[in-house]
Amino acid sequence: MTHRLIPATLLILCAAMPAYGANLEFSLGGAVEYDDNVFRRDSDKEDDILFRLRPGARIYEDRGEDLNFSLGYAIPFEWALDNNQELRDEDHIVDGRFRYRVNDRLSFFGRDDFGYLRSTLRRERVGTDTAADAPGSAGFTPTISDERDRVTRNEGQLGATYNFSPRTVLRFVTSSDLFDPTRDDRSRVFSVSPVVDLQYRLNLKHQIGVGAGYTYQDFDDRDFFAGSQTQTYRAFASWRWTISDTMNFELAAGPSYLEQEQEDSPVVQTQFAVPFTVVSGPITAFDAQGNPVVNRVVGPGSLLVA
């Protein structure tokens, strides 16, 4: 259901936003790959030729006085020459970011990167981390993995800055991360981390600050491993040195306190012991119950070795 709502919502936005002066761009990329083991088997390997297309659309405004934003949607899909029924599929990648300037003191910013992915378990960031990336930048470039799984990824950030003075800035940022795979041997992981810090600029080259943060991380059960929850509390002091227009040095240090809770194991392992006897030597006779009488008994049980 999710992968159907995404293109429908963005289609409406693509039609409506140009009326408000926003820019609209379309992109298309493609690749052809030969794979000598498309099903990742140790035996009975099959080769195939894979075709990939990556159409995308982006709405952005980067010259607004108060509001700047960027919203992109890409749908990479793949099909095969010989095994198209098994390998044909598509991914859904959405990224958005914004910055809203309320007045000279207060600003809000945020970003979100969502992926409903198959065979793109890792994503490498390109471009900058600003609230409104450069036009046409997708924010993430998919990296093909050897495992053809279905994974839901979402990384988000929402924050605000308040300028008490030209030298003093208060910043609050909350980040979240979701990793939800379909494989049983991988954990569903969710984390959220709010951070607040106060920065003071001493001069044009040096800036100092103090702050505090909290992180909650939840690992779900997987196979024979129980889930766990981790909470981290931290405080820190920071120093930033602007060496030149293109080089900065930053240092942050402080104490942290960590709490971890382990859930009960969802798997109960039961071992069954079967008693047996290992005997050695020639059988010379049998007792009243029909058991062999031998020269030497090696171990407890009922396994006979003549």
Side-chain angles (χ1 to χ4, degrees), residues 141-156:
T141 299
T143 301
I144 302 302
S145 169
D146 287 342
E147 298 291 345
R148 300 182 180 278
D149 309 317
R150 178 60 67 181
V151 177
T152 300
R153 286 294 309 270
N154 192 82
E155 300 175 14

Side-chain angles (χ1 to χ4, degrees), residues 8-287:
T9 303
L10 291 173
L11 182 62
I12 297 174
L13 291 174
C14 288
M17 293 308 294
Y20 292 91
N23 301 295
L24 178 62
E25 287 185 352
F26 296 96
S27 61
L28 179 65
V32 179
E33 175 187 337
Y34 171 75
D35 194 327
D36 62 353
N37 187 12
V38 292
F39 296 108
R40 306 297 184 261
R41 297 170 179 166
D42 295 330
S43 60
D44 298 329
K45 299 180 180 180
E46 295 187 41
D47 63 341
D48 209 334
I49 298 177
L50 305 176
F51 301 90
R52 296 189 179 97
L53 280 180
R54 184 187 171 87
R58 179 167 298 278
I59 308 168
Y60 67 92
E61 173 58 67
D62 60 343
R63 298 182 180 180
E65 295 183 2
D66 298 326
L67 177 64
N68 288 283
F69 65 89
S70 175
L71 177 63
Y73 172 58
I75 176 171
F77 60 91
E78 177 185 82
W79 71 96
L81 185 64
D82 297 325
N83 300 277
N84 192 45
Q85 190 67 27
E86 294 87 353
L87 299 177
R88 183 181 59 191
D89 210 341
E90 74 277 345
D91 296 334
H92 299 269
I93 300 175
V94 182
D95 70 275
R97 54 213 73 238
F98 79 94
R99 180 175 291 276
Y100 178 63
R101 178 175 170 272
V102 180
N103 50 46
D104 292 339
R105 293 181 179 271
L106 180 62
S107 297
F108 293 94
F109 61 91
R111 67 170 180 84
D112 191 79
D113 296 280
F114 172 85
Y116 185 67
L117 311 167
R118 183 189 64 92
S119 75
T120 53
L121 297 183
R122 296 192 313 272
R123 294 183 296 169
E124 296 178 353
R125 179 177 295 280
V126 297
T128 62
D129 236 351
T130 57
D133 279 350
S137 172
F140 283 100
T141 299
T143 301
I144 302 302
S145 169
D146 287 342
E147 298 291 345
R148 300 182 180 278
D149 309 317
R150 178 60 67 181
V151 177
T152 300
R153 286 294 309 270
N154 192 82
E155 300 175 14
Q157 185 181 83
L158 184 64
T161 59
Y162 186 83
N163 296 278
F164 291 100
S165 69
R167 292 191 174 191
T168 307
V169 178
L170 177 67
R171 184 178 62 170
F172 177 78
V173 181
T174 298
S175 304
S176 66
D177 192 352
L178 172 67
F179 178 85
D180 190 5
T182 57
R183 288 172 51 175
D184 294 334
D185 61 342
R186 292 176 179 263
S187 295
R188 179 185 184 273
V189 182
F190 172 75
S191 66
V192 60
S193 179
V195 177
V196 59
D197 64 344
L198 182 66
Q199 301 287 333
Y200 179 75
R201 182 173 293 277
L202 297 172
N203 49 49
L204 294 178
K205 289 187 174 293
H206 298 282
Q207 177 177 292
I208 58 174
V210 293
Y214 167 79
T215 300
Y216 172 80
Q217 193 168 37
D218 178 73
F219 289 85
D220 205 356
D221 298 336
R222 64 180 177 94
D223 283 352
F224 303 104
F225 297 92
S228 64
Q229 293 79 39
T230 302
Q231 300 183 73
T232 305
Y233 307 85
R234 64 188 183 278
F236 58 89
S238 63
W239 168 53
R240 181 175 181 178
W241 176 24
T242 304
I243 302 173
S244 66
D245 294 339
T246 59
M247 183 179 298
N248 294 324
F249 175 78
E250 296 187 25
L251 177 65
S256 297
Y257 173 74
L258 185 144
E259 291 182 352
Q260 185 174 28
E261 181 180 351
Q262 184 80 29
E263 298 177 1
D264 294 334
S265 176
V267 178
V268 178
Q269 296 182 345
T270 304
Q271 297 180 348
F272 297 93
V274 180
F276 63 90
T277 298
V278 178
V279 297
S280 176
I283 300 175
T284 58
F286 293 89
D287 59 17

